[in-house]
């Protein structure tokens, strides 16, 4: 074969495939050889010829291709290209034939292919687990966004949907999985097995046929899929175990099987995820008024997985921490995580799988909706239909979790933080190449997109919003969409058009004077960065005759506007914290809102109080107000009862401690303040959990103990260390509640020595340790204050840690103030190997950010810039730009606010 290198594509016109031919159907046959870590196969692709052409261009990467042949139905001839050319940069193969195939005709392309099964966590790859002390392997796929081409030659773009018929060849003692159910399965026998396709003869004739099971081969044929994009195709092979359930469709009455697969040693930890899948599927059908279209829905839990989880149609895949938990001692955080992951991926069965974005520019249409639907509306917001619509009333899965309120801290605030950077990107972003595509799988595509949709839902009303979503999906079943298609569905349902608002609002005179400006974490935007006028739903809350009124009709669609209200009574913009913007008031108004909020839900809701804490702390970081004002509000709220308000307080105080980590006096005083806030809650709630107590109480106890321990409260630290010492001595962890395990092991290793460290390491290495505890063990290892243990961990990362777990080690070292700089040096010293291990993966950009984002000195910033000067940063340039911008903002915050914080804390200590 010859290789021809083309110039680097410069825009999507260069990067996207020519459309002279379009695939309509793939027959994919794959032989998996686990023992030799190789795969090979043949793909036959039916093509519609749109324009006369003698050249066929498709995607292929890291594959050896052979026997490429094109048969034309109209010409009745078969043509072969013995020397395909390759554009390695664009990951394309170009076939040239002597006779053009005519426009309007049909053709069939047949290609043999082979490749290596590596641990790359993309394409068709292998994952490992231990059984009886022996390392064993299985295989699975991860194709999103552009890795199907690493498994078989294809037109690897979401717009080019086709049907797929998958055949898998494997050893008989393994299980084959794919998007659809198996239609037939047999042991290959050359005398009886029919091979009707000549292109498959070479593949089948090479199969061994000895009588021993180890030498035999099994052929599994799967049903043909509906039209779908290549990135959603999936298959897997291994010695899996499974659990099974089913659900009954509320629309048709059909019963569909549901399974979850993993390795035999951990399959017992998968029941909860299976139960959640069975709960949410019928709810989605009712909301969308569209039945789940496939005959089954499986989930495969993998030990090595780059992302969190993946919405392959009919075969969801994901890492162990996304789907497994200890059924006997599951902590609330693990339950929430598994619920969110499973529901999010099931949402994709409609958003992304049935209806797919035309190109990666519109990724938010997938991820924003799956975030809002899967992690908020389905899980936690009970809704009852009052309108004459087809949406049936439904009961959410866990309304007691208050997920609409927790969305503010977990998604909205995260999105606004990232969007407050000049290096931010819009939720709809131009993606000319694969490096850019990987980078937009970030908080803006998930959290901000979900936040904008949540704001829209609140503005037009949730029922009308969901009705519009149903219209959108029904109009584009098995099709592809762009942004305007969604807005047309919403508009048809509501009659409302809306933009993408991100805004800062300031209080004025004559009632209130409202002005919008771009909000940046580094401070007021320069004129050149402040030219956009957003349509902003203000959701104005006022009080009249002791009655709370929320006017959702007020929209700020100009730079400035005056609103006549009675400012002697409580008021607030962004009621319910649904708007994707910050609100700035005077210090006096902030304090007045906080004092009213401290009274509970009478005027300002739970969502209002959460948003208030996040707003003022973020505004103080940008210099719009003082940190002392934010601390005053926190102090005013010290008698708050709701967990989620305390959660927002804890997050923001942790940010302050983390930012001023090299200012010992301020950190010590902040920790005194933190202990004063949280230790009384620990004393009131104690350490024991009761099944009869509310979720709020359980979570508040967990958060309070974690904050008190982090702040070094002697009584809390001693209690946790005592319980962990008993666990080490007896191997009985019954004295450690599941919700406190992470805090307990972290505190024990941080305040302990080599013995506690080795215990945590052994826990991580135990293959049956539940994922949440495994991650806790990693973070604990990195909390050690022992220099020898720290060095051992750095060595361990490169020699023994799973690649997918490296991000947890980096995060752990960044939580340990003593290792922040050595962690950055570790990354630099091992950059070449780390970059290679994560080549093409999503998570490397997160490792880059996590490694450097806490280094706040000028020399740190310059060393970071210098280090990356000669590196190819195309895979993570956006994340690096955002990290550098964060470093500049944090440094400016420290310079601006150190005296202010010190003076406030000094006065507070004097008063207490």
């Amino acid at each position: 074969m010859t290789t021809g290198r083309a110039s680097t594509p410069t825009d999507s016109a260069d990067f996207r495939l020519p459309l002279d031919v379009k695939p309509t159907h793939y027959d994919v046959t794959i032989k998996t050889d686990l023992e030799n870590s190789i795969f090979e196969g043949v793909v036959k692709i039916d093509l519609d010829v749109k324009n006369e052409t003698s050249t066929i261009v498709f995607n292929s990467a890291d594959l050896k291709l052979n026997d490429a042949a094109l048969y034309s139905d109209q010409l009745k001839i078969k043509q072969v290209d013995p020397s395909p050319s390759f554009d390695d940069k664009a990951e394309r193969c170009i076939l040239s034939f002597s006779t053009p195939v005519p426009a309007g005709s049909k053709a069939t392309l047949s290609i043999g292919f082979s490749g290596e099964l590596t641990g790359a966590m993309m394409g068709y790859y292998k994952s490992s687990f231990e059984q009886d002390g022996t390392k064993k392997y299985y295989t699975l796929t991860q194709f999103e966004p552009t890795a199907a081409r690493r498994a078989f030659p294809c037109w690897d773009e979401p717009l080019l949907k086709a049907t797929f018929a998958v055949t898998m060849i494997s050893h008989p003692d393994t299980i084959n999985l794919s998007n659809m159910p198996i239609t037939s399965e047999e042991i290959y026998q050359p005398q009886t097995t029919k091979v009707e396709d000549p292109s498959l003869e070479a593949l089948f004739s090479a199969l061994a046929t000895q009588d021993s099971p180890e030498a035999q081969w099994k052929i599994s044929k799967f049903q043909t899929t509906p039209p779908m994009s290549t990135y959603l195709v999936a298959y897997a092979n291994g010695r899996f175990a499974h659990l099974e359930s089913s659900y009954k469709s509320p629309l048709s009455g059909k019963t569909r099987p549901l399974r979850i697969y993993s390795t035999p040693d951990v399959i017992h930890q998968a029941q909860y995820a299976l139960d959640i899948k069975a709960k949410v599927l019928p709810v989605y059908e009712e909301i969308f008024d569209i039945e789940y279209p496939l005959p089954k829905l499986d989930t495969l839990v993998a030990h090595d997985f780059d992302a969190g989880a993946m919405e392959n149609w009919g075969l969801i895949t994901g890492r162990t921490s996304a789907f497994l938990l200890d059924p006997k001692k599951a902590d609330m955080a693990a339950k929430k995580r598994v619920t969110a992951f499973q529901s999010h991926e099931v949402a994709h069965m409609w958003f992304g799988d049935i209806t797919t974005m035309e190109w990666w520019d519109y990724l938010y249409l997938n991820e924003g909706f799956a975030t809002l639907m899967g992690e908020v509306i389905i899980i936690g917001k009970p809704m009852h239909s009052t309108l004459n619509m087809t949406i049936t009333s439904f009961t959410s899965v866990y309304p007691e979790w208050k997920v609409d309120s927790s969305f503010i801290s977990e998604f909205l605030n995260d999105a606004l933080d990232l969007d407050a950077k000049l290096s931010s990107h819009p939720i709809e972003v131009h993606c000319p190449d694969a490096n850019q595509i990987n980078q937009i799988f970030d908080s803006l595509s998930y959290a901000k997109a979900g936040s904008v949709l949540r704001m829209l839902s609140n503005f037009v009303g949730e029922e009308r919003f969901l009705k519009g979503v149903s219209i959108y999906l029904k109009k584009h079943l098995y099709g592809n969409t762009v942004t305007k298609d969604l807005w047309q569905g919403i508009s048809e349902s509501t009659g409302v058009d809306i933009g993408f608002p991100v805004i800062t609002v300031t209080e004025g005179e004559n009632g209130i004077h409202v002005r919008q400006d771009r909000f940046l974490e580094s401070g007021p935007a320069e004129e050149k960065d402040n030219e956009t006028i957003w349509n902003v739903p203000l959701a104005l809350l006022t009080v009249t005759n002791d009655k709370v009124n929320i006017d959702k009709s007020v929209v700020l669609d100009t730079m400035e506007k005056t609103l006549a209200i009675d400012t002697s009574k409580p008021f607030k913009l962004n009621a319910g914290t649904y708007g994707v913007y910050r609100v700035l008031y005077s210090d006096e108004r902030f304090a007045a809102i906080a004092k009213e909020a401290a009274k509970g839900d009478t005027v300002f809701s739970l969502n209002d109080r959460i948003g208030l804490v996040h707003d003022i702390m973020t505004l103080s970081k940008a210099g719009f107000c003082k940190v002392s004002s934010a601390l005053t509000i926190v102090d005013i709220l010290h008698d708050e009862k709701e967990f989620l308000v305390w959660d927002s307080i804890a997050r923001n105080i942790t940010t302050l401690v983390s930012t001023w980590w090299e200012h010992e006096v301020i950190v010590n005083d902040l920790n005194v303040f933190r202990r004063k806030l949280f230790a009384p809650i620990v004393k009131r709630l104690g350490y024991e959990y009761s099944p009869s107590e509310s979720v709020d109480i359980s979570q508040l106890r967990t958060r309070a103990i974690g904050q008190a321990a982090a702040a070094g409260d002697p009584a809390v630290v001693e209690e946790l260390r005592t319980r962990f010492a008993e666990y080490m001595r007896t191997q009985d962890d019954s004295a450690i509640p599941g919700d406190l395990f992470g805090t307990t092991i972290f505190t024990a290793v941080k305040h302990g020595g080599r013995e506690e460290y080795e215990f945590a390491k052994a826990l991580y290495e135990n293959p049956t340790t539940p994922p949440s505890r495994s991650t806790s063990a990693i973070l604990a290892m990195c909390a050690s204050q022992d220099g020898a243990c720290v060095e051992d961990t750095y060595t361990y990362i490169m020699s023994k840690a799973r690649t997918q777990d490296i991000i947890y080690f980096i995060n752990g070292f960044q939580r340990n103030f003593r290792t922040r700089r050595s962690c950055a040096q570790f990354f630099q010293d091992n950059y070449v190997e780390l970059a290679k291990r994560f080549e093409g993966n999503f998570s490397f950009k997160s490792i880059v950010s996590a490694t450097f984002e806490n280094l706040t000195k000028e020399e740190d910033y310059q060393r970071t810039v210098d280090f990356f000067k000669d590196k190819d940063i195309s895979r993570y340039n956006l994340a690096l730009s955002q990290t550098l911008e964060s470093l500049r903002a944090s440094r400016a915050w420290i310079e601006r606010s150190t005296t202010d914080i010190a003076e406030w804390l000094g006065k507070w200590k004097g008063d207490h």
Side-chain angles (χ1 to χ4, degrees), residues 630-648:
L631 291 171
T632 296
I633 282 185
V634 169
D635 198 29
I636 290 172
L637 296 173
H638 71 275
D639 285 329
E640 173 66 48
K641 297 296 187 288
E642 288 277 1
F643 158 70
L644 288 169
V645 179
W646 279 113
D647 178 61
S648 65

Side-chain angles (χ1 to χ4, degrees), residues 457-701:
S457 173
N458 179 67
F459 184 64
V460 303
E462 186 173 275
E463 293 182 54
R464 287 187 172 90
F465 173 78
L466 293 176
K467 175 63 176 177
V469 168
S470 178
I471 291 170
Y472 159 75
L473 289 171
K474 288 177 178 178
K475 281 188 173 181
H476 302 282
L477 291 176
Y478 306 109
N480 296 83
T481 59
V482 297
T483 297
K484 66 179 177 63
D485 298 320
L486 170 63
W487 298 142
Q488 285 172 359
I490 301 296
S491 297
E492 185 174 328
S493 171
T494 66
V496 174
D497 294 313
I498 201 163
F500 298 142
V502 181
I503 192 167
T504 302
V505 180
T506 58
E507 185 181 344
E509 299 176 356
N510 302 322
I512 57 172
H513 183 75
V514 184
R515 172 188 167 95
Q516 61 168 293
D517 297 278
R518 183 174 183 185
F519 177 77
L520 295 173
E521 66 174 356
S522 55
E526 296 181 18
E527 187 174 345
K528 65 181 176 63
D529 299 317
N530 192 30
E531 297 175 346
T532 302
I533 303 295
W534 287 276
N535 295 313
V536 187
L538 291 180
L540 176 60
L541 183 154
T542 57
V543 176
T544 305
N545 298 325
D546 296 326
K547 182 181 179 182
V548 175
N549 305 291
I550 299 175
D551 187 349
K552 294 183 180 181
S553 68
V554 183
V555 176
L556 180 62
D557 53 6
T558 58
M559 180 69 81
E560 302 177 63
K561 183 176 286 189
T562 298
L563 303 173
I565 65 170
D566 183 358
T567 57
S568 68
K569 304 285 180 60
F571 73 91
K572 183 180 178 293
L573 300 183
N574 198 13
T577 316
Y578 287 95
V580 187
Y581 54 89
R582 302 289 185 190
V583 185
L584 174 66
Y585 306 95
S586 66
D587 286 351
E588 294 77 16
R589 178 59 62 186
F590 264 129
I593 292 174
K595 289 174 183 175
E596 189 66 41
K599 299 176 183 178
D601 294 334
T602 306
V603 174
F604 297 121
S605 68
L606 170 60
N607 287 16
D608 287 320
R609 304 199 298 277
I610 297 168
L612 176 67
V613 173
H614 285 307
D615 271 5
I616 193 165
M617 195 65 74
T618 304
L619 289 162
S620 73
K621 180 176 182 179
F624 288 95
C625 60
K626 293 182 177 180
V627 178
S628 55
S629 298
L631 291 171
T632 296
I633 282 185
V634 169
D635 198 29
I636 290 172
L637 296 173
H638 71 275
D639 285 329
E640 173 66 48
K641 297 296 187 288
E642 288 277 1
F643 158 70
L644 288 169
V645 179
W646 279 113
D647 178 61
S648 65
I649 290 170
R651 290 170 186 260
N652 283 288
I653 293 181
T654 299
T655 296
L656 289 177
V657 173
S658 180
T659 302
W660 269 268
W661 64 284
E662 293 186 286
H663 296 73
E664 186 176 356
V665 173
I666 287 180
V667 168
N668 289 339
D669 285 350
L670 281 170
N671 279 332
V672 171
F673 181 52
R674 185 155 52 160
R675 291 196 294 270
K676 185 71 173 178
L677 290 170
F678 289 99
I681 300 175
V682 178
K683 188 173 182 180
R684 174 166 58 90
L685 298 180
Y687 294 82
E688 304 307 322
Y689 293 71
S690 168
S692 62
E693 69 187 13
S694 70
V695 173
D696 263 11
I697 293 297
S698 296
Q699 293 180 111
L700 181 55
R701 178 187 296 107

Side-chain angles (χ1 to χ4, degrees), residues 279-406:
K279 285 183 180 180
V280 301
L281 262 163
V283 181
Y284 279 114
E285 287 195 2
E286 288 186 312
I287 290 178
F288 300 143
D289 195 34
I290 299 170
E291 188 173 359
Y292 173 70
L294 302 190
K296 58 91 175 176
L297 179 54
D298 295 334
T299 301
L300 172 63
V301 186
H303 293 74
D304 299 283
F305 202 81
D306 182 34
M310 177 62 205
E311 66 270 19
N312 310 302
W313 212 2
L315 179 57
I316 295 168
T317 52
R319 60 171 61 200
T320 54
S321 60
F323 294 123
L324 300 184
L325 54 77
D326 184 342
K328 295 179 180 178
K329 298 197 69 173
D331 59 286
M332 180 57 66
K335 285 185 69 176
K336 283 188 166 185
R337 182 172 58 251
V338 172
T339 302
F341 267 111
Q342 186 69 86
S343 182
H344 181 110
E345 301 310 323
V346 172
H348 275 306
M349 300 299 107
W350 286 265
F351 286 105
D353 295 7
I354 293 180
T355 302
T356 312
M357 73 266 157
E358 179 184 282
W359 183 248
W360 299 102
D361 296 20
Y362 309 105
L363 175 68
Y364 84 94
L365 289 173
N366 280 11
E367 300 302 346
F369 265 111
T371 298
L372 178 64
M373 295 301 306
E375 303 186 42
V376 180
I377 292 176
I378 298 298
I379 294 176
K381 289 195 70 176
M383 186 194 81
H384 304 283
S385 182
T386 57
L387 300 172
N388 185 23
M389 297 184 176
T390 58
I391 298 172
T392 307
S393 299
F394 67 88
T395 303
S396 54
V397 179
Y398 288 115
E400 67 272 23
W401 286 2
K402 302 178 182 177
V403 289
D404 182 65
S405 298
S406 64

